[in-house]
Amino acid sequence: PYRRQRQMCIRDRSDMKILAFDSSGLVASVAIVENNNLIAEYTTNYKKTHSQTLLPMLEEIVKMTETDKESFDALAVAAGPGSFTGLRIGSATVKGLALAWNIPVIAVPTLEGLAYNVWGTDRLICPIMDARRKQVYTGLYSFNSDDRLETIMDQTPMDIADLIDQLNERGEKVIFVGDGIDVYADVLKEKMTADYAFAPAHMNKQRAGSVAAAAQVRYAAGQYEEGDTFAPEYLRQSQAERERAEKAKLENDGHE
């Protein structure tokens, strides 16, 4: 059904143009990758909402690179977990563009995108995103001998203490990426007995360029979908939903 059926059939990740977004956390990021080259990337980590920044950032990089919006082969997006508001804004943006341009969406798990920030490392990669209440969204990844990312543990919410225990038990060299470093650096320094490192500033937050790199692999494997079927992966209920459920439970218990 897509207007560029030729590219869809070929699925050649080295000969395609992807527009990628990441609004899963505090960072807002938009990137254009074409023929395995990062043409442009606009990333901000400041006190503005993604609804204020995402589309203006897109307009800016399209203008600066003289890119025809109709020339993209696919859209990529960090599909969750992360900020509920950020994920919804990113989802709405991508769904609207996919339907308008009649191109597919490549959903990249947020933590997989973060893992791509440290492509090629020989360490176990542990992305951590702050999920509040002493929890993180996390997963475990590594690059194999063919330089392909392998998932060791699927992304999941977890107590930071349980994650530390698991990593210490594995005993492997690990590198942490993600905004959870800012929140949990002290406890990691105190409790980690396995060899560890924190990714530096240019690698430790979400980047749309990394989402696009992961998306190329997924596109080549046929892992894409139509805009109207895409939905974010929250992994757990929002705080408001949890509070409503707790309130309803208390009310029900009171009537018994």
Side-chain angles (χ1 to χ4, degrees), residues 22-25 77-92 95 105-113 129 131 137-139 141 151 153-157 218 225 229-238 241:
D22 196 322
S23 59
S24 59
V77 64
S83 157
F84 286 82
T85 301
L87 291 174
R88 285 169 182 149
I89 292 169
S91 174
K95 287 170 74 74
V105 173
I106 308 165
V108 176
T110 302
L111 298 173
E112 181 178 311
M129 296 177 64
Y137 295 119
T138 189
Y141 305 86
T151 301
M153 180 181 75
D154 283 328
Q155 54 184 22
T156 184
R218 287 178 168 269
E225 59 193 292
T229 63
F230 167 72
E233 184 178 5
Y234 297 112
L235 288 190
R236 70 178 192 181
Q237 292 179 312
S238 69
E241 290 169 330

mmCIF file of all heavy atoms in Angstrom, residues 22-25 77-92 95 105-113 129 131 137-139 141 151 153-157 218 225 229-238 241:
data_model
loop_
_atom_site.group_PDB
_atom_site.id
_atom_site.type_symbol
_atom_site.label_atom_id
_atom_site.label_comp_id
_atom_site.label_asym_id
_atom_site.label_seq_id
_atom_site.Cartn_x
_atom_site.Cartn_y
_atom_site.Cartn_z
ATOM 1 N N ASP A 22 13.021 10.838 18.794
ATOM 2 C CA ASP A 22 13.048 10.299 20.151
ATOM 3 C C ASP A 22 12.549 11.377 21.100
ATOM 4 O O ASP A 22 13.168 12.428 21.241
ATOM 5 C CB ASP A 22 14.456 9.858 20.564
ATOM 6 C CG ASP A 22 14.432 8.962 21.798
ATOM 7 O OD1 ASP A 22 13.618 9.228 22.702
ATOM 8 O OD2 ASP A 22 15.221 8.001 21.856
ATOM 9 N N SER A 23 11.408 11.129 21.707
ATOM 10 C CA SER A 23 10.843 12.041 22.707
ATOM 11 C C SER A 23 10.454 11.256 23.950
ATOM 12 O O SER A 23 9.525 11.606 24.656
ATOM 13 C CB SER A 23 9.621 12.770 22.132
ATOM 14 O OG SER A 23 8.613 11.848 21.733
ATOM 15 N N SER A 24 11.190 10.184 24.212
ATOM 16 C CA SER A 24 10.827 9.256 25.282
ATOM 17 C C SER A 24 11.231 9.738 26.669
ATOM 18 O O SER A 24 10.789 9.179 27.670
ATOM 19 C CB SER A 24 11.454 7.884 25.017
ATOM 20 O OG SER A 24 12.868 8.000 24.948
ATOM 21 N N GLY A 25 12.088 10.757 26.732
ATOM 22 C CA GLY A 25 12.536 11.269 28.024
ATOM 23 C C GLY A 25 12.619 12.780 27.993
ATOM 24 O O GLY A 25 11.883 13.451 27.262
ATOM 25 N N VAL A 77 10.897 5.726 15.382
ATOM 26 C CA VAL A 77 10.568 6.406 16.635
ATOM 27 C C VAL A 77 10.947 5.520 17.814
ATOM 28 O O VAL A 77 10.827 4.295 17.752
ATOM 29 C CB VAL A 77 9.068 6.765 16.683
ATOM 30 C CG1 VAL A 77 8.193 5.516 16.671
ATOM 31 C CG2 VAL A 77 8.744 7.646 17.888
ATOM 32 N N ALA A 78 11.441 6.172 18.873
ATOM 33 C CA ALA A 78 11.635 5.465 20.140
ATOM 34 C C ALA A 78 10.260 5.159 20.702
ATOM 35 O O ALA A 78 9.510 6.054 21.076
ATOM 36 C CB ALA A 78 12.446 6.323 21.102
ATOM 37 N N ALA A 79 9.925 3.881 20.755
ATOM 38 C CA ALA A 79 8.545 3.460 20.990
ATOM 39 C C ALA A 79 8.208 3.202 22.450
ATOM 40 O O ALA A 79 7.101 2.804 22.759
ATOM 41 C CB ALA A 79 8.255 2.195 20.181
ATOM 42 N N GLY A 80 9.149 3.439 23.350
ATOM 43 C CA GLY A 80 8.912 3.215 24.763
ATOM 44 C C GLY A 80 9.790 2.089 25.278
ATOM 45 O O GLY A 80 10.374 1.338 24.486
ATOM 46 N N PRO A 81 9.931 2.062 26.590
ATOM 47 C CA PRO A 81 9.243 2.872 27.589
ATOM 48 C C PRO A 81 9.814 4.276 27.699
ATOM 49 O O PRO A 81 10.739 4.633 26.971
ATOM 50 C CB PRO A 81 9.488 2.076 28.879
ATOM 51 C CG PRO A 81 10.850 1.497 28.665
ATOM 52 C CD PRO A 81 10.890 1.114 27.203
ATOM 53 N N GLY A 82 9.244 5.033 28.651
ATOM 54 C CA GLY A 82 9.723 6.378 28.891
ATOM 55 C C GLY A 82 8.632 7.253 29.463
ATOM 56 O O GLY A 82 7.648 6.761 30.028
ATOM 57 N N SER A 83 8.810 8.561 29.297
ATOM 58 C CA SER A 83 7.811 9.524 29.744
ATOM 59 C C SER A 83 6.501 9.284 29.010
ATOM 60 O O SER A 83 6.479 9.226 27.778
ATOM 61 C CB SER A 83 8.315 10.944 29.475
ATOM 62 O OG SER A 83 7.256 11.863 29.391
ATOM 63 N N PHE A 84 5.404 9.148 29.740
ATOM 64 C CA PHE A 84 4.116 8.887 29.105
ATOM 65 C C PHE A 84 3.732 10.040 28.181
ATOM 66 O O PHE A 84 3.279 9.818 27.053
ATOM 67 C CB PHE A 84 3.039 8.666 30.171
ATOM 68 C CG PHE A 84 3.143 7.334 30.849
ATOM 69 C CD1 PHE A 84 4.038 7.140 31.883
ATOM 70 C CD2 PHE A 84 2.357 6.262 30.444
ATOM 71 C CE1 PHE A 84 4.149 5.914 32.505
ATOM 72 C CE2 PHE A 84 2.461 5.033 31.057
ATOM 73 C CZ PHE A 84 3.365 4.856 32.097
ATOM 74 N N THR A 85 3.927 11.265 28.651
ATOM 75 C CA THR A 85 3.598 12.420 27.817
ATOM 76 C C THR A 85 4.490 12.475 26.592
ATOM 77 O O THR A 85 4.019 12.680 25.468
ATOM 78 C CB THR A 85 3.739 13.724 28.625
ATOM 79 O OG1 THR A 85 2.868 13.674 29.753
ATOM 80 C CG2 THR A 85 3.386 14.929 27.774
ATOM 81 N N GLY A 86 5.786 12.275 26.781
ATOM 82 C CA GLY A 86 6.724 12.310 25.658
ATOM 83 C C GLY A 86 6.427 11.248 24.622
ATOM 84 O O GLY A 86 6.463 11.508 23.416
ATOM 85 N N LEU A 87 6.126 10.040 25.083
ATOM 86 C CA LEU A 87 5.812 8.954 24.152
ATOM 87 C C LEU A 87 4.539 9.250 23.362
ATOM 88 O O LEU A 87 4.457 8.948 22.168
ATOM 89 C CB LEU A 87 5.662 7.632 24.902
ATOM 90 C CG LEU A 87 6.947 7.037 25.509
ATOM 91 C CD1 LEU A 87 6.619 5.803 26.332
ATOM 92 C CD2 LEU A 87 7.957 6.701 24.418
ATOM 93 N N ARG A 88 3.562 9.832 24.022
ATOM 94 C CA ARG A 88 2.310 10.144 23.324
ATOM 95 C C ARG A 88 2.535 11.223 22.268
ATOM 96 O O ARG A 88 1.968 11.152 21.176
ATOM 97 C CB ARG A 88 1.254 10.578 24.341
ATOM 98 C CG ARG A 88 0.698 9.412 25.146
ATOM 99 C CD ARG A 88 -0.145 9.869 26.308
ATOM 100 N NE ARG A 88 -0.628 8.729 27.089
ATOM 101 C CZ ARG A 88 -0.860 8.765 28.397
ATOM 102 N NH1 ARG A 88 -0.654 9.882 29.062
ATOM 103 N NH2 ARG A 88 -1.290 7.695 29.028
ATOM 104 N N ILE A 89 3.343 12.215 22.595
ATOM 105 C CA ILE A 89 3.632 13.274 21.628
ATOM 106 C C ILE A 89 4.394 12.697 20.428
ATOM 107 O O ILE A 89 4.076 12.974 19.270
ATOM 108 C CB ILE A 89 4.430 14.411 22.282
ATOM 109 C CG1 ILE A 89 3.550 15.147 23.303
ATOM 110 C CG2 ILE A 89 4.959 15.393 21.240
ATOM 111 C CD1 ILE A 89 4.306 16.116 24.185
ATOM 112 N N GLY A 90 5.398 11.877 20.700
ATOM 113 C CA GLY A 90 6.146 11.256 19.613
ATOM 114 C C GLY A 90 5.281 10.348 18.767
ATOM 115 O O GLY A 90 5.378 10.345 17.534
ATOM 116 N N SER A 91 4.414 9.585 19.423
ATOM 117 C CA SER A 91 3.519 8.683 18.708
ATOM 118 C C SER A 91 2.568 9.453 17.807
ATOM 119 O O SER A 91 2.384 9.098 16.627
ATOM 120 C CB SER A 91 2.722 7.845 19.709
ATOM 121 O OG SER A 91 1.744 7.064 19.054
ATOM 122 N N ALA A 92 1.961 10.511 18.340
ATOM 123 C CA ALA A 92 1.019 11.300 17.542
ATOM 124 C C ALA A 92 1.718 11.939 16.351
ATOM 125 O O ALA A 92 1.160 11.985 15.240
ATOM 126 C CB ALA A 92 0.374 12.376 18.418
ATOM 127 N N LYS A 95 2.575 9.048 13.775
ATOM 128 C CA LYS A 95 1.368 8.503 13.146
ATOM 129 C C LYS A 95 0.806 9.485 12.123
ATOM 130 O O LYS A 95 0.407 9.093 11.016
ATOM 131 C CB LYS A 95 0.318 8.194 14.219
ATOM 132 C CG LYS A 95 0.637 6.978 15.062
ATOM 133 C CD LYS A 95 -0.286 6.848 16.261
ATOM 134 C CE LYS A 95 -1.651 6.388 15.867
ATOM 135 N NZ LYS A 95 -1.682 4.954 15.514
ATOM 136 N N VAL A 105 6.176 2.934 9.642
ATOM 137 C CA VAL A 105 6.788 3.311 10.915
ATOM 138 C C VAL A 105 7.632 2.146 11.420
ATOM 139 O O VAL A 105 7.178 1.002 11.429
ATOM 140 C CB VAL A 105 5.711 3.660 11.964
ATOM 141 C CG1 VAL A 105 6.342 3.886 13.337
ATOM 142 C CG2 VAL A 105 4.919 4.881 11.531
ATOM 143 N N ILE A 106 8.846 2.465 11.842
ATOM 144 C CA ILE A 106 9.723 1.462 12.450
ATOM 145 C C ILE A 106 9.799 1.783 13.939
ATOM 146 O O ILE A 106 10.351 2.815 14.329
ATOM 147 C CB ILE A 106 11.132 1.484 11.835
ATOM 148 C CG1 ILE A 106 11.061 1.397 10.314
ATOM 149 C CG2 ILE A 106 11.981 0.352 12.409
ATOM 150 C CD1 ILE A 106 12.347 1.777 9.608
ATOM 151 N N ALA A 107 9.218 0.927 14.757
ATOM 152 C CA ALA A 107 9.190 1.140 16.203
ATOM 153 C C ALA A 107 10.454 0.544 16.819
ATOM 154 O O ALA A 107 10.700 -0.656 16.728
ATOM 155 C CB ALA A 107 7.953 0.491 16.809
ATOM 156 N N VAL A 108 11.257 1.400 17.443
ATOM 157 C CA VAL A 108 12.505 0.964 18.073
ATOM 158 C C VAL A 108 12.344 1.043 19.592
ATOM 159 O O VAL A 108 12.039 2.117 20.121
ATOM 160 C CB VAL A 108 13.692 1.848 17.638
ATOM 161 C CG1 VAL A 108 14.966 1.449 18.380
ATOM 162 C CG2 VAL A 108 13.898 1.754 16.137
ATOM 163 N N PRO A 109 12.495 -0.058 20.315
ATOM 164 C CA PRO A 109 12.440 0.018 21.770
ATOM 165 C C PRO A 109 13.418 1.080 22.282
ATOM 166 O O PRO A 109 14.571 1.135 21.841
ATOM 167 C CB PRO A 109 12.847 -1.393 22.216
ATOM 168 C CG PRO A 109 12.467 -2.271 21.061
ATOM 169 C CD PRO A 109 12.744 -1.446 19.836
ATOM 170 N N THR A 110 12.963 1.907 23.200
ATOM 171 C CA THR A 110 13.790 3.023 23.673
ATOM 172 C C THR A 110 15.153 2.571 24.162
ATOM 173 O O THR A 110 16.182 3.188 23.852
ATOM 174 C CB THR A 110 13.066 3.762 24.816
ATOM 175 O OG1 THR A 110 11.809 4.232 24.340
ATOM 176 C CG2 THR A 110 13.886 4.934 25.305
ATOM 177 N N LEU A 111 15.186 1.484 24.919
ATOM 178 C CA LEU A 111 16.454 1.048 25.503
ATOM 179 C C LEU A 111 17.380 0.451 24.453
ATOM 180 O O LEU A 111 18.605 0.515 24.583
ATOM 181 C CB LEU A 111 16.185 0.058 26.630
ATOM 182 C CG LEU A 111 15.364 0.653 27.787
ATOM 183 C CD1 LEU A 111 14.992 -0.408 28.795
ATOM 184 C CD2 LEU A 111 16.101 1.785 28.454
ATOM 185 N N GLU A 112 16.806 -0.101 23.395
ATOM 186 C CA GLU A 112 17.630 -0.578 22.283
ATOM 187 C C GLU A 112 18.312 0.610 21.594
ATOM 188 O O GLU A 112 19.486 0.546 21.227
ATOM 189 C CB GLU A 112 16.775 -1.346 21.285
ATOM 190 C CG GLU A 112 17.544 -1.903 20.099
ATOM 191 C CD GLU A 112 16.647 -2.691 19.160
ATOM 192 O OE1 GLU A 112 15.888 -3.556 19.648
ATOM 193 O OE2 GLU A 112 16.700 -2.432 17.934
ATOM 194 N N GLY A 113 17.550 1.692 21.418
ATOM 195 C CA GLY A 113 18.137 2.896 20.846
ATOM 196 C C GLY A 113 19.277 3.426 21.697
ATOM 197 O O GLY A 113 20.332 3.820 21.185
ATOM 198 N N MET A 129 16.762 4.113 32.630
ATOM 199 C CA MET A 129 15.950 5.331 32.603
ATOM 200 C C MET A 129 15.198 5.432 33.923
ATOM 201 O O MET A 129 14.641 4.443 34.399
ATOM 202 C CB MET A 129 14.952 5.280 31.440
ATOM 203 C CG MET A 129 15.592 5.249 30.073
ATOM 204 S SD MET A 129 14.333 5.108 28.771
ATOM 205 C CE MET A 129 13.453 6.668 28.994
ATOM 206 N N ALA A 131 12.478 5.623 36.409
ATOM 207 C CA ALA A 131 11.040 5.323 36.388
ATOM 208 C C ALA A 131 10.383 5.713 37.712
ATOM 209 O O ALA A 131 9.247 5.310 37.970
ATOM 210 C CB ALA A 131 10.812 3.842 36.103
ATOM 211 N N TYR A 137 13.658 1.783 34.138
ATOM 212 C CA TYR A 137 13.422 0.960 32.950
ATOM 213 C C TYR A 137 14.799 0.521 32.485
ATOM 214 O O TYR A 137 15.698 1.340 32.302
ATOM 215 C CB TYR A 137 12.743 1.765 31.850
ATOM 216 C CG TYR A 137 11.350 2.235 32.181
ATOM 217 C CD1 TYR A 137 11.047 3.583 32.219
ATOM 218 C CD2 TYR A 137 10.331 1.315 32.438
ATOM 219 C CE1 TYR A 137 9.757 4.016 32.507
ATOM 220 C CE2 TYR A 137 9.045 1.738 32.733
ATOM 221 C CZ TYR A 137 8.764 3.092 32.766
ATOM 222 O OH TYR A 137 7.499 3.520 33.061
ATOM 223 N N THR A 138 14.969 -0.760 32.309
ATOM 224 C CA THR A 138 16.298 -1.254 31.982
ATOM 225 C C THR A 138 16.221 -2.478 31.075
ATOM 226 O O THR A 138 15.147 -3.050 30.835
ATOM 227 C CB THR A 138 17.087 -1.588 33.265
ATOM 228 O OG1 THR A 138 18.457 -1.867 32.940
ATOM 229 C CG2 THR A 138 16.487 -2.794 33.983
ATOM 230 N N GLY A 139 17.349 -2.881 30.566
ATOM 231 C CA GLY A 139 17.512 -4.081 29.760
ATOM 232 C C GLY A 139 19.005 -4.356 29.679
ATOM 233 O O GLY A 139 19.816 -3.543 30.133
ATOM 234 N N TYR A 141 22.146 -5.642 26.945
ATOM 235 C CA TYR A 141 22.465 -5.824 25.530
ATOM 236 C C TYR A 141 23.968 -6.026 25.368
ATOM 237 O O TYR A 141 24.760 -5.628 26.222
ATOM 238 C CB TYR A 141 22.038 -4.591 24.716
ATOM 239 C CG TYR A 141 20.587 -4.226 24.874
ATOM 240 C CD1 TYR A 141 20.161 -3.415 25.929
ATOM 241 C CD2 TYR A 141 19.622 -4.695 23.982
ATOM 242 C CE1 TYR A 141 18.819 -3.094 26.091
ATOM 243 C CE2 TYR A 141 18.288 -4.367 24.134
ATOM 244 C CZ TYR A 141 17.891 -3.569 25.194
ATOM 245 O OH TYR A 141 16.567 -3.244 25.357
ATOM 246 N N THR A 151 19.968 -8.880 22.363
ATOM 247 C CA THR A 151 19.241 -8.591 23.595
ATOM 248 C C THR A 151 19.473 -9.714 24.591
ATOM 249 O O THR A 151 19.094 -10.856 24.346
ATOM 250 C CB THR A 151 17.735 -8.434 23.316
ATOM 251 O OG1 THR A 151 17.530 -7.370 22.389
ATOM 252 C CG2 THR A 151 16.979 -8.132 24.601
ATOM 253 N N MET A 153 18.607 -9.256 28.036
ATOM 254 C CA MET A 153 17.402 -9.176 28.863
ATOM 255 C C MET A 153 16.496 -8.108 28.269
ATOM 256 O O MET A 153 16.912 -6.978 28.059
ATOM 257 C CB MET A 153 17.762 -8.814 30.310
ATOM 258 C CG MET A 153 16.546 -8.706 31.235
ATOM 259 S SD MET A 153 16.985 -8.255 32.951
ATOM 260 C CE MET A 153 17.346 -6.493 32.766
ATOM 261 N N ASP A 154 15.252 -8.489 27.967
ATOM 262 C CA ASP A 154 14.307 -7.542 27.392
ATOM 263 C C ASP A 154 14.058 -6.373 28.342
ATOM 264 O O ASP A 154 14.151 -6.514 29.571
ATOM 265 C CB ASP A 154 12.976 -8.230 27.083
ATOM 266 C CG ASP A 154 13.046 -9.066 25.808
ATOM 267 O OD1 ASP A 154 13.801 -8.676 24.903
ATOM 268 O OD2 ASP A 154 12.356 -10.096 25.743
ATOM 269 N N GLN A 155 13.714 -5.224 27.748
ATOM 270 C CA GLN A 155 13.466 -4.046 28.565
ATOM 271 C C GLN A 155 12.304 -4.299 29.524
ATOM 272 O O GLN A 155 11.293 -4.912 29.166
ATOM 273 C CB GLN A 155 13.206 -2.828 27.687
ATOM 274 C CG GLN A 155 12.116 -2.974 26.654
ATOM 275 C CD GLN A 155 12.015 -1.743 25.772
ATOM 276 O OE1 GLN A 155 12.942 -0.949 25.633
ATOM 277 N NE2 GLN A 155 10.853 -1.544 25.184
ATOM 278 N N THR A 156 12.480 -3.800 30.746
ATOM 279 C CA THR A 156 11.515 -4.066 31.807
ATOM 280 C C THR A 156 11.676 -3.040 32.917
ATOM 281 O O THR A 156 12.764 -2.483 33.098
ATOM 282 C CB THR A 156 11.729 -5.482 32.388
ATOM 283 O OG1 THR A 156 10.729 -5.762 33.367
ATOM 284 C CG2 THR A 156 13.090 -5.604 33.043
ATOM 285 N N PRO A 157 10.625 -2.746 33.686
ATOM 286 C CA PRO A 157 10.808 -1.939 34.892
ATOM 287 C C PRO A 157 11.383 -2.811 36.010
ATOM 288 O O PRO A 157 11.012 -3.982 36.147
ATOM 289 C CB PRO A 157 9.388 -1.462 35.225
ATOM 290 C CG PRO A 157 8.471 -2.414 34.554
ATOM 291 C CD PRO A 157 9.204 -3.031 33.408
ATOM 292 N N ARG A 218 16.105 -3.106 11.677
ATOM 293 C CA ARG A 218 14.733 -3.602 11.773
ATOM 294 C C ARG A 218 14.016 -3.528 10.422
ATOM 295 O O ARG A 218 13.267 -4.425 10.056
ATOM 296 C CB ARG A 218 13.965 -2.817 12.847
ATOM 297 C CG ARG A 218 14.400 -3.176 14.255
ATOM 298 C CD ARG A 218 13.693 -2.380 15.331
ATOM 299 N NE ARG A 218 13.961 -2.973 16.629
ATOM 300 C CZ ARG A 218 13.217 -3.901 17.213
ATOM 301 N NH1 ARG A 218 12.104 -4.311 16.619
ATOM 302 N NH2 ARG A 218 13.537 -4.416 18.381
ATOM 303 N N GLU A 225 5.587 -1.201 10.394
ATOM 304 C CA GLU A 225 4.130 -1.281 10.411
ATOM 305 C C GLU A 225 3.529 -0.004 9.858
ATOM 306 O O GLU A 225 4.239 0.989 9.634
ATOM 307 C CB GLU A 225 3.631 -1.516 11.840
ATOM 308 C CG GLU A 225 4.046 -0.441 12.823
ATOM 309 C CD GLU A 225 3.809 -0.862 14.267
ATOM 310 O OE1 GLU A 225 2.628 -0.987 14.643
ATOM 311 O OE2 GLU A 225 4.804 -1.065 14.995
ATOM 312 N N THR A 229 -1.531 1.556 12.914
ATOM 313 C CA THR A 229 -1.445 0.427 13.842
ATOM 314 C C THR A 229 -0.382 0.629 14.913
ATOM 315 O O THR A 229 -0.345 -0.107 15.895
ATOM 316 C CB THR A 229 -1.135 -0.885 13.095
ATOM 317 O OG1 THR A 229 0.154 -0.785 12.473
ATOM 318 C CG2 THR A 229 -2.201 -1.168 12.050
ATOM 319 N N PHE A 230 0.478 1.638 14.738
ATOM 320 C CA PHE A 230 1.552 1.848 15.709
ATOM 321 C C PHE A 230 1.012 2.367 17.032
ATOM 322 O O PHE A 230 0.133 3.225 17.080
ATOM 323 C CB PHE A 230 2.583 2.842 15.168
ATOM 324 C CG PHE A 230 3.542 3.333 16.223
ATOM 325 C CD1 PHE A 230 4.514 2.494 16.726
ATOM 326 C CD2 PHE A 230 3.430 4.620 16.748
ATOM 327 C CE1 PHE A 230 5.378 2.924 17.732
ATOM 328 C CE2 PHE A 230 4.288 5.065 17.731
ATOM 329 C CZ PHE A 230 5.261 4.216 18.223
ATOM 330 N N ALA A 231 1.567 1.859 18.131
ATOM 331 C CA ALA A 231 1.226 2.347 19.472
ATOM 332 C C ALA A 231 2.468 2.235 20.353
ATOM 333 O O ALA A 231 3.254 1.290 20.214
ATOM 334 C CB ALA A 231 0.084 1.537 20.076
ATOM 335 N N PRO A 232 2.672 3.187 21.249
ATOM 336 C CA PRO A 232 3.844 3.130 22.134
ATOM 337 C C PRO A 232 3.773 1.938 23.081
ATOM 338 O O PRO A 232 2.697 1.392 23.347
ATOM 339 C CB PRO A 232 3.763 4.449 22.920
ATOM 340 C CG PRO A 232 2.769 5.289 22.217
ATOM 341 C CD PRO A 232 1.847 4.369 21.494
ATOM 342 N N GLU A 233 4.925 1.565 23.613
ATOM 343 C CA GLU A 233 5.014 0.470 24.584
ATOM 344 C C GLU A 233 5.368 1.080 25.940
ATOM 345 O O GLU A 233 6.520 1.420 26.206
ATOM 346 C CB GLU A 233 6.087 -0.546 24.163
ATOM 347 C CG GLU A 233 6.177 -1.747 25.069
ATOM 348 C CD GLU A 233 7.216 -2.751 24.605
ATOM 349 O OE1 GLU A 233 7.930 -2.460 23.634
ATOM 350 O OE2 GLU A 233 7.313 -3.823 25.239
ATOM 351 N N TYR A 234 4.373 1.226 26.797
ATOM 352 C CA TYR A 234 4.580 1.926 28.067
ATOM 353 C C TYR A 234 5.217 1.039 29.139
ATOM 354 O O TYR A 234 5.859 1.540 30.058
ATOM 355 C CB TYR A 234 3.253 2.469 28.586
ATOM 356 C CG TYR A 234 2.628 3.498 27.681
ATOM 357 C CD1 TYR A 234 1.440 3.230 26.993
ATOM 358 C CD2 TYR A 234 3.214 4.745 27.497
ATOM 359 C CE1 TYR A 234 0.862 4.183 26.166
ATOM 360 C CE2 TYR A 234 2.645 5.701 26.668
ATOM 361 C CZ TYR A 234 1.459 5.411 26.009
ATOM 362 O OH TYR A 234 0.889 6.349 25.183
ATOM 363 N N LEU A 235 5.020 -0.249 29.077
ATOM 364 C CA LEU A 235 5.508 -1.256 30.025
ATOM 365 C C LEU A 235 4.775 -1.244 31.356
ATOM 366 O O LEU A 235 4.733 -2.248 32.064
ATOM 367 C CB LEU A 235 7.016 -1.114 30.279
ATOM 368 C CG LEU A 235 7.945 -1.525 29.129
ATOM 369 C CD1 LEU A 235 9.386 -1.556 29.622
ATOM 370 C CD2 LEU A 235 7.575 -2.879 28.550
ATOM 371 N N ARG A 236 4.238 -0.092 31.764
ATOM 372 C CA ARG A 236 3.446 -0.067 32.991
ATOM 373 C C ARG A 236 2.468 1.092 32.916
ATOM 374 O O ARG A 236 2.561 1.944 32.028
ATOM 375 C CB ARG A 236 4.329 0.054 34.233
ATOM 376 C CG ARG A 236 5.010 1.402 34.396
ATOM 377 C CD ARG A 236 5.813 1.450 35.678
ATOM 378 N NE ARG A 236 6.244 2.806 35.987
ATOM 379 C CZ ARG A 236 6.984 3.128 37.038
ATOM 380 N NH1 ARG A 236 7.382 2.192 37.868
ATOM 381 N NH2 ARG A 236 7.337 4.378 37.257
ATOM 382 N N GLN A 237 1.524 1.147 33.852
ATOM 383 C CA GLN A 237 0.538 2.212 33.869
ATOM 384 C C GLN A 237 1.183 3.538 34.252
ATOM 385 O O GLN A 237 2.201 3.570 34.957
ATOM 386 C CB GLN A 237 -0.578 1.891 34.865
ATOM 387 C CG GLN A 237 -1.463 0.721 34.494
ATOM 388 C CD GLN A 237 -2.522 0.475 35.552
ATOM 389 O OE1 GLN A 237 -2.226 0.435 36.741
ATOM 390 N NE2 GLN A 237 -3.755 0.316 35.116
ATOM 391 N N SER A 238 0.589 4.623 33.804
ATOM 392 C CA SER A 238 1.049 5.945 34.213
ATOM 393 C C SER A 238 0.731 6.158 35.689
ATOM 394 O O SER A 238 -0.071 5.438 36.281
ATOM 395 C CB SER A 238 0.364 7.031 33.381
ATOM 396 O OG SER A 238 -1.004 7.107 33.708
ATOM 397 N N GLU A 241 -2.924 6.709 36.233
ATOM 398 C CA GLU A 241 -3.701 5.465 36.132
ATOM 399 C C GLU A 241 -3.517 4.610 37.381
ATOM 400 O O GLU A 241 -4.469 3.996 37.868
ATOM 401 C CB GLU A 241 -3.278 4.697 34.878
ATOM 402 C CG GLU A 241 -3.718 5.360 33.583
ATOM 403 C CD GLU A 241 -3.071 4.737 32.364
ATOM 404 O OE1 GLU A 241 -1.927 4.237 32.474
ATOM 405 O OE2 GLU A 241 -3.701 4.752 31.296
#
